[in-house]
């Protein structure tokens, strides 16, 4: 691989890592975190997004872990209400 290609690939890798570090949530987790921040229950989120409650529970658990939040109220301040 020529030097410019390697440098480009390394730059893309660094940018991807930086973006992930800045926002560790997936798009779906961010969507669910926004609904949790609005005070929605898992059942309401599941119904609105056509998911099982179990799936929503898993997403909420992942969001709390990734944001190092102790409970459902913390994502409201971490994610923001306009998510």
């Amino acid at each position: 691989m020529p030097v410019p290609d390697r440098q480009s690939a390394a730059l893309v890798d660094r940018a991807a890592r930086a973006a992930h570090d800045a926002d560790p949530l997936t798009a779906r987790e961010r969507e669910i975190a926004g609904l949790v921040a609005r005070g929605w229950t898992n059942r309401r989120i599941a119904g609105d997004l056509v998911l099982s409650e179990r799936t929503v529970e898993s997403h909420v658990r992942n969001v709390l872990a990734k944001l190092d939040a102790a409970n459902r109220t913390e994502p409201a301040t971490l994610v923001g209400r306009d998510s």
Side-chain angles (χ1 to χ4, degrees), residues 8-82:
S8 295
L11 180 60
V12 168
D13 287 343
R14 282 197 309 271
R17 279 194 303 277
H20 180 269
D21 291 345
D23 184 8
L25 301 180
T26 65
R28 179 62 94 177
E29 289 168 345
R30 181 155 287 290
E31 179 180 25
I32 289 175
L35 297 174
V36 167
R38 290 185 183 121
W40 286 27
T41 63
N42 287 355
R43 178 170 289 170
R44 182 173 177 193
I45 295 169
D48 193 66
L49 300 180
V50 192
L51 299 170
S52 75
E53 279 188 70
R54 217 60 145 113
T55 298
V56 173
E57 288 171 11
S58 294
H59 284 306
V60 170
R61 208 172 22 256
N62 290 340
V63 167
L64 295 177
K66 288 180 177 183
L67 296 179
D68 197 28
N71 55 54
R72 291 174 67 97
T73 59
E74 288 185 28
T77 59
L78 297 170
V79 173
R81 292 202 178 267
D82 27 69

